[in-house]
């Protein structure tokens, strides 16, 4: 699905120099690279503060802690996401309340949001799935009416935009993952919380660093050890300078898929709706998704299903009380979505071959209603 070796080959000299610099300094915890990457990534998002943490799951979990969310509280979110979004809520002892997604953007449907908000609701947590920003204008308007903060799960959307503002600056705060396959990926695990709110950023930093106060051994609240690794920060600093170029190269490949698949019946192609996607994944819909996946895999083409089961139906989320049929759009998407390979270095002839195989599969099948 991605070719991280090809990416490393493009930036090898700079990455190797950055790693060597950290090794020579023997500054493995915190240090200048962490502080600089936080400042550079905050500036990239267009916000004032960033707190580096160990991974995207911790970013969400610790951000929720910093909001003071705990037992008895509810967080409104989506089930059409990676499990970490729900885990972060349950790990804080709160209850996720799942709303369905919009069938076009695959993200939180603002029309369904209002009725999910109740007296226990403390926060709204939309997910910018596949790189496409959720409709933050509508979500923020509803949140403001109810006096609720909005936390973006931006793990898949580095560089996405709505109304000229980048993801990360669209809510009260945002959580990023730098898992290696992300648009901006580390060479290991890493994550970040960004916000314009200085007090909130300080609370995240506190719980991510053993609940510390001014002094290392001044432990004010129960926290944990979730620091951004210094080597990863040094590598991410190099890669951040390439992010816009890489996102543009993703966009070119999306346009190439769109051209190659435009007249293929039996698949529905992803589109942007009221926002600029970071195009983390190119996810099409097919009524015989499993057949298409088998066809492509048999021809040596990697594919992925994000996600085969909406998280309200995962046993791990049983405490939230989700049942089949609760979220019809999310449940239908889980049966139809298929992600094709998409990354900046994807050769255009390889992309054409993938598209040709999608076409070949669809030509053998009856035209699906509505496709
Ligand atoms: C939507 C979403 N949220 C959260 C996460 C968690 O990030 P991490 O894997 O860095 O813990 C991911 C990572 O895949 C994700 O896709």
């Amino acid at each position: 699905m991605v070719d991280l070796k090809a990416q490393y080959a493009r930036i090898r000299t700079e990455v190797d120099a950055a790693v060597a610099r950290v090794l020579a300094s023997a500054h493995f915890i915190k240090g200048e690279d962490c502080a600089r990457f936080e400042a550079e990534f905050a500036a990239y998002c267009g916000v004032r503060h960033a707190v580096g943490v160990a991974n995207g799951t911790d970013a969400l979990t610790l951000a929720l802690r910093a909001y003071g969310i705990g037992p008895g509280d509810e967080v409104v979110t989506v089930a059409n996401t990676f499990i970490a979004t729900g885990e972060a809520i349950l790990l804080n002892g709160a209850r996720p309340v799942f709303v369905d997604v919009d069938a076009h953007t695959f993200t939180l449907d603002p029309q369904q949001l209002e009725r999910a908000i109740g007296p226990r609701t403390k926060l709204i947590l939309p997910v910018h799935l596949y790189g496409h920003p959720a409709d933050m204008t509508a979500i923020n308007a509803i949140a403001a009416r109810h006096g609720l903060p909005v936390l973006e799960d931006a793990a898949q959307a580095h560089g996405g935009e709505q109304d000229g503002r980048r993801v990360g600056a669209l809510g009260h705060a945002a959580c990023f993952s730098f898992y290696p396959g992300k648009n901006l990926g580390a060479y290991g695990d890493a994550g970040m919380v960004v916000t314009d709110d200085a007090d909130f950023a300080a609370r995240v930093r506190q719980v991510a660093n053993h609940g510390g106060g001014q002094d290392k051994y001044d432990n004010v609240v129960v926290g944990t050890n979730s620091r951004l690794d210094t080597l990863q920060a040094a590598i991410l600093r190099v890669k951040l300078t390439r992010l816009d170029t890489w996102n543009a190269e993703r966009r070119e490949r999306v346009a190439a898929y769109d051209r190659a698949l435009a007249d293929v019946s039996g698949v529905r192609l992803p589109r942007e709706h009221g926002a600029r996607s970071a195009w983390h994944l190119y996810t099409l819909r097919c009524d015989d998704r499993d057949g298409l996946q088998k066809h492509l895999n048999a021809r040596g083409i990697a594919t992925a299903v994000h996600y085969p089961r909406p998280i309200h139906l995962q046993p791990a989320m049983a405490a939230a009380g989700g049942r089949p049929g609760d979220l019809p759009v999310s449940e239908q998407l889980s049966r139809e979505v298929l992600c094709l390979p998409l990354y900046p270095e994807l050769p255009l002839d390889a992309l054409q071959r993938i598209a040709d195989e999608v076409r070949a599969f669809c030509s053998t099948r009856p035209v699906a209603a509505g496709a």
Side-chain angles (χ1 to χ4, degrees):
M1 292 295 289
V2 294
D3 187 349
L4 295 178
K5 288 184 183 168
Q7 189 197 64
Y8 176 51
R10 297 171 81 181
I11 52 173
R12 185 178 190 141
T13 314
E14 281 171 76
V15 167
D16 288 1
V19 169
R21 190 184 65 237
V22 175
L23 297 187
S25 77
H27 228 125
F28 301 122
I29 302 291
K30 298 188 184 172
E32 198 179 323
D33 279 292
C34 287
R36 288 197 178 214
F37 179 57
E38 286 177 344
E40 288 158 5
F41 193 67
Y44 179 84
C45 294
V47 296
R48 282 195 281 276
H49 307 283
V51 182
V53 294
N55 53 65
T57 308
D58 279 6
L60 288 164
T61 307
L62 297 170
L64 293 182
R65 265 210 72 191
Y67 281 112
I69 285 165
D73 295 336
E74 292 180 354
V75 174
V76 178
T77 190
V78 289
N80 188 34
T81 182
F82 182 58
I83 190 74
T85 315
E87 277 174 338
I89 300 166
L90 284 169
L91 283 170
N92 278 284
R95 192 172 92 88
V97 175
F98 296 111
V99 295
D100 217 344
V101 294
D102 175 90
H104 302 290
T105 63
F106 307 112
T107 64
L108 193 149
D109 183 354
Q111 313 253 23
Q112 318 234 7
L113 177 55
E114 197 114 38
R115 75 181 82 120
I117 295 172
R120 292 171 181 267
T121 309
K122 288 288 173 341
L123 180 101
I124 299 168
L125 176 52
V127 180
H128 305 316
L129 202 73
Y130 310 147
H132 194 293
D135 184 352
M136 292 295 288
T137 308
I139 294 168
N140 282 332
I142 296 167
R145 273 208 299 282
H146 292 269
L148 294 169
V150 180
L151 174 67
E152 306 169 66
D153 183 338
Q156 301 188 6
H158 322 68
E161 287 177 24
Q162 189 179 37
D163 297 332
R165 281 192 306 148
R166 285 212 174 110
V167 155
L170 301 175
H172 173 260
C175 296
F176 287 89
S177 162
F178 303 116
Y179 182 82
K182 302 293 197 228
N183 289 33
L184 180 60
Y187 290 166
D189 277 310
M192 195 162 274
V193 181
V194 303
T195 183
D196 260 336
D197 180 338
D199 291 339
F200 178 77
R203 288 200 299 278
V204 174
R205 201 176 290 285
Q206 184 178 52
V207 289
N209 288 282
H210 298 294
Q214 300 290 21
D215 184 84
K216 186 174 175 184
Y217 296 110
D218 179 20
N219 307 109
V220 183
V221 295
V222 177
T224 187
N225 173 5
S226 181
R227 290 184 288 251
L228 172 64
D229 185 86
T230 311
L231 276 169
Q232 300 305 337
I235 293 162
L236 286 163
R237 289 186 64 202
V238 173
K239 295 181 79 173
L240 179 58
T241 66
R242 307 296 206 285
L243 179 57
D244 284 343
T245 303
W246 289 340
N247 279 353
E249 290 171 350
R250 285 175 182 274
R251 182 169 285 279
E252 281 165 23
R253 280 149 186 78
V254 167
Y257 269 132
D258 285 349
R259 279 194 301 275
L261 295 170
D263 61 342
V264 175
S265 49
V267 288
R268 269 180 267 188
L269 307 181
R271 295 256 177 273
E272 290 173 306
H273 293 268
R276 200 172 157 81
S277 179
W279 288 112
H280 175 53
L281 291 168
Y282 188 85
T283 307
L284 48 74
R285 294 174 64 182
C286 177
D287 66 331
D288 186 10
R289 187 268 314 282
D290 293 344
L292 175 58
Q293 182 170 40
K294 242 165 100 184
H295 176 91
L296 295 175
N297 290 1
R299 283 151 188 82
I301 295 167
T303 57
V305 174
H306 293 283
Y307 294 92
R309 194 191 290 185
I311 67 170
H312 70 297
L313 301 180
Q314 290 287 3
M317 295 289 121
R323 286 184 314 271
D326 283 353
L327 305 171
V329 178
S330 301
E331 291 169 37
Q332 187 171 350
L333 288 174
S334 72
R335 292 187 289 271
E336 294 183 357
V337 292
L338 187 67
C339 310
L340 302 182
L342 176 65
Y343 52 94
E345 300 80 14
L346 176 62
L348 291 174
D349 56 345
L351 183 152
Q352 186 62 48
R353 198 186 136 243
I354 297 165
D356 289 345
E357 287 299 342
V358 173
R359 178 186 296 276
F361 175 79
C362 290
S363 68
T364 64
R365 305 203 31 89
V367 177

